Amino acid sequence: MGKVVIIGQGYVGLPLAIRAVEAGDDVVGLDTDTDRVKALGAGLSFVEDVSDERLMRALETGRYRTSDDYADAAGFDTCAITVPTPLTDGVPDISHIEQAALQIAVHLRRGCTVILESTTYPGTTEEVLRPLLENTSGLDAPADFFIGYSPERIDPGNPTWHLENTPKLVSGIDPGSLAATMAFYQRFVERLVPVSAPRTAELTKLFENTFRHINIALVNELAIVANKLGVDVREAIGAAATKPFGFMAFDPGPGVGGHCLPIDPSYLSWQVKREVGQRFRFIELANDVNEGMPRYVVQRIAAGLNTRYKPVNGSRILLLGLAYKSNVGDLRESPARAVAELLVDLGADVRAVEPHASPRDTGMLGGVTLVDLTVAEIRAADAVVLLTDHDDFDYPLIEAEARYIFDTRNRCHGGVVELL
Ligand SMILES: NC(=O)c1ccc[n+]([C@@H]2O[C@H](COP(=O)([O-])OP(=O)(O)OC[C@H]3O[C@@H](n4cnc5c(N)ncnc54)[C@H](O)[C@@H]3O)[C@@H](O)[C@H]2O)c1
């Protein structure tokens, strides 16, 4: 493939860059975050799916280097854009894609390929990326260069499904662009799934995450009503899951977090409203339910403390896990952080155990003291709240020492445990 540039060296871009190096490519990992560029260049990975050893091996080939300077993209053959697509003031913010497009466009050459991987609303590749690349470079796609869209499906920390064995959607603005996009990935992804146009691939990615978001909202609401009905929601879900067709089990929890579920569905509802003039009501409802979960968790903790003659104000509360899901250190949009903030606001003395968080992320935790999981911390807590069920927590120790456990993940057992 010759020279490859991966723009953005985050949760998506770093594993992709390393995989491309392993497949024999010469890769430049571009990122505007100078600290990240330096750390990666020194062999320090912050992504669970890429160990420091694997990163080091890639660096030692001499075919992987990190840079914060777009000049290092000169002469590239294939470029993949993996920059963030957040919501800003509740609306899609594709400014990172626009910036990346403008900066890479000056290095476009005849025959090269640009592939967008960031999650985004239908139309971005053809109506935003394409004109930016063409107008800045003076070249025409697909006559002079190719444009593809291939959304990332990576699930950070998943030990089974990773880049190589997760089927990857691919699309192009024309058959030549699709062929160029497939040629790039087929050397290191087992199965490619071509779809007819970037719009379809963009919509499919949003549909996948919206499906999950809505189903989680459904079981979360079910958990709330089942608690009031006096029914064990997990038993009901487990029983329903014995049906061999037409049912898929999802687990209730303290809300949704990370870079995908709280954000991607709103990209879809925003675009539907803008382009079709219609509300996507399922998405609005799911947002409403999932965003309300941290407050519900705090209400349940307050009720649990109340039965023990304790107000939240002044109580010592030990939160276990702040990341948005188990076995990762990503605190972005984590509902656990929302729970922590609400408890701090109510005057609780909040301590938290998060062995996976990086020091730069823990700076986001106002009012929360980070501690290690010790017998003394567990014993001193009026309530121990399991928010993220990391595998490396010592559950028998927690169960043996805690006075009261509120478990949002169905991981703890014993008489002092109350489940979400
Ligand atoms: N994290 C996931 O699990 C996941 C899964 C599937 C898809 N996605 C999507 O992939 C995209 C990237 O997500 P991520 O989690 O890797 O984000 P990230 O924040 O981990 O990494 C993105 C990187 O891009 C860099 N960046 C921003 N603007 C840049 C620019 N103009 N030029 C160069 N670098 C720039 C940032 O500094 C950052 O290091 C998003 O659209 C996201 O929705 C994420």
Side-chain angles (χ1 to χ4, degrees):
M1 275 295 126
K3 179 168 176 176
V4 170
V5 173
I6 310 290
I7 303 180
Q9 290 295 278
Y11 285 90
V12 169
L14 180 62
L16 178 62
I18 301 306
R19 201 63 202 104
V21 172
E22 290 165 354
D25 292 335
D26 212 326
V27 179
V28 177
L30 269 184
D31 203 298
T32 42
D33 182 335
T34 309
D35 291 341
R36 187 164 279 188
V37 164
K38 276 193 197 137
L40 292 173
L44 296 173
S45 169
F46 61 98
V47 171
E48 296 77 13
D49 300 334
V50 175
S51 64
D52 288 352
E53 297 71 38
R54 194 169 161 217
L55 172 61
M56 213 57 210
R57 279 197 299 277
L59 289 163
E60 281 164 6
T61 63
R63 289 183 287 99
Y64 174 58
R65 66 199 165 103
T66 56
S67 171
D68 57 5
D69 185 355
Y70 272 76
D72 288 323
F76 79 86
D77 299 291
T78 305
C79 167
I81 301 174
T82 69
V83 294
T85 44
L87 292 172
T88 300
D89 299 328
V91 299
D93 173 2
I94 58 164
S95 60
H96 296 283
I97 296 178
E98 292 169 334
Q99 284 305 317
L102 288 171
Q103 287 178 279
I104 199 67
V106 297
H107 298 295
L108 287 182
R109 302 179 301 155
R110 278 176 202 285
C112 74
T113 303
V114 178
I115 305 163
L116 181 61
E117 283 221 5
S118 300
T119 305
T120 185
Y121 58 79
T124 307
T125 305
E126 282 166 291
E127 290 149 32
V128 179
L129 180 66
R130 181 177 179 169
L132 284 173
L133 293 175
E134 289 182 328
N135 296 341
T136 312
S137 67
L139 298 174
D140 286 326
D144 299 323
F145 69 101
F146 301 117
I147 302 177
Y149 179 73
S150 178
E152 183 51 70
R153 282 171 159 168
I154 205 162
D155 181 18
N158 189 321
T160 310
W161 297 106
H162 35 86
L163 183 56
E164 298 92 85
N165 65 358
T166 305
K168 195 162 186 6
L169 298 181
V170 282
S171 65
I173 61 164
D174 74 307
S177 292
L178 176 61
T181 303
M182 291 181 75
F184 174 60
Y185 293 112
Q186 69 194 6
R187 296 158 310 124
F188 51 83
V189 178
E190 286 168 16
R191 183 171 163 225
L192 298 180
V193 182
V195 294
S196 59
R199 251 179 187 261
T200 310
E202 288 158 342
L203 179 69
T204 307
K205 170 71 192 176
L206 294 180
F207 172 49
E208 289 167 11
N209 282 353
T210 300
F211 174 85
R212 189 164 164 71
H213 187 237
I214 287 172
N215 277 287
I216 291 171
L218 176 62
V219 289
N220 280 341
E221 192 161 37
L222 187 72
I224 294 171
V225 297
N227 179 258
K228 290 183 179 146
L229 292 170
V231 176
D232 178 346
V233 72
R234 284 164 199 85
E235 188 185 356
I237 294 168
T242 61
K243 186 179 172 188
F245 48 87
F247 183 81
M248 190 181 279
F250 287 82
D251 298 320
V256 294
H259 197 302
C260 297
L261 295 194
I263 294 168
D264 299 352
S266 297
Y267 265 67
L268 182 54
S269 55
W270 178 86
Q271 178 68 334
V272 168
K273 181 84 187 154
R274 188 173 77 144
E275 206 175 301
V276 189
Q278 200 172 313
R279 286 166 55 206
F280 204 131
R281 290 166 296 163
F282 265 108
I283 294 177
E284 291 176 7
L285 184 59
N287 280 340
D288 198 39
V289 172
N290 286 333
E291 283 168 9
M293 287 310 288
R295 195 164 290 282
Y296 175 70
V297 167
V298 170
Q299 279 168 9
R300 291 281 303 277
I301 297 167
L305 287 170
N306 192 45
T307 60
R308 291 163 177 82
Y309 306 101
K310 293 257 176 199
V312 177
N313 194 354
S315 284
R316 186 152 155 177
I317 300 182
L318 181 64
L319 304 179
L320 304 180
L322 293 172
Y324 79 92
K325 66 172 190 165
S326 56
N327 305 327
V328 303
D330 192 349
L331 304 191
R332 290 179 297 181
E333 313 287 333
S334 172
R337 282 177 53 204
V339 170
E341 281 162 21
L342 288 166
L343 289 169
V344 168
D345 286 350
L346 289 173
D349 173 5
V350 181
R351 286 139 195 269
V353 184
E354 182 40 87
H356 296 269
S358 69
R360 83 184 218 164
D361 289 336
T362 50
M364 303 191 279
L365 303 169
V368 178
T369 311
L370 270 190
V371 295
D372 291 329
L373 185 61
T374 61
V375 170
E377 283 294 342
I378 299 169
R379 282 188 186 163
D382 297 301
V384 176
V385 182
L386 180 65
L387 293 170
T388 312
D389 54 337
H390 296 309
D391 289 338
D392 50 8
F393 283 146
D394 186 342
Y395 293 100
L397 181 81
I398 298 161
E399 288 159 3
E401 302 296 341
R403 277 180 271 164
Y404 160 45
I405 301 173
F406 186 74
D407 177 1
T408 68
R409 300 289 183 176
N410 193 25
R411 192 77 188 244
C412 298
H413 308 280
V416 298
V417 178
E418 192 185 318
L419 293 174
L420 175 74

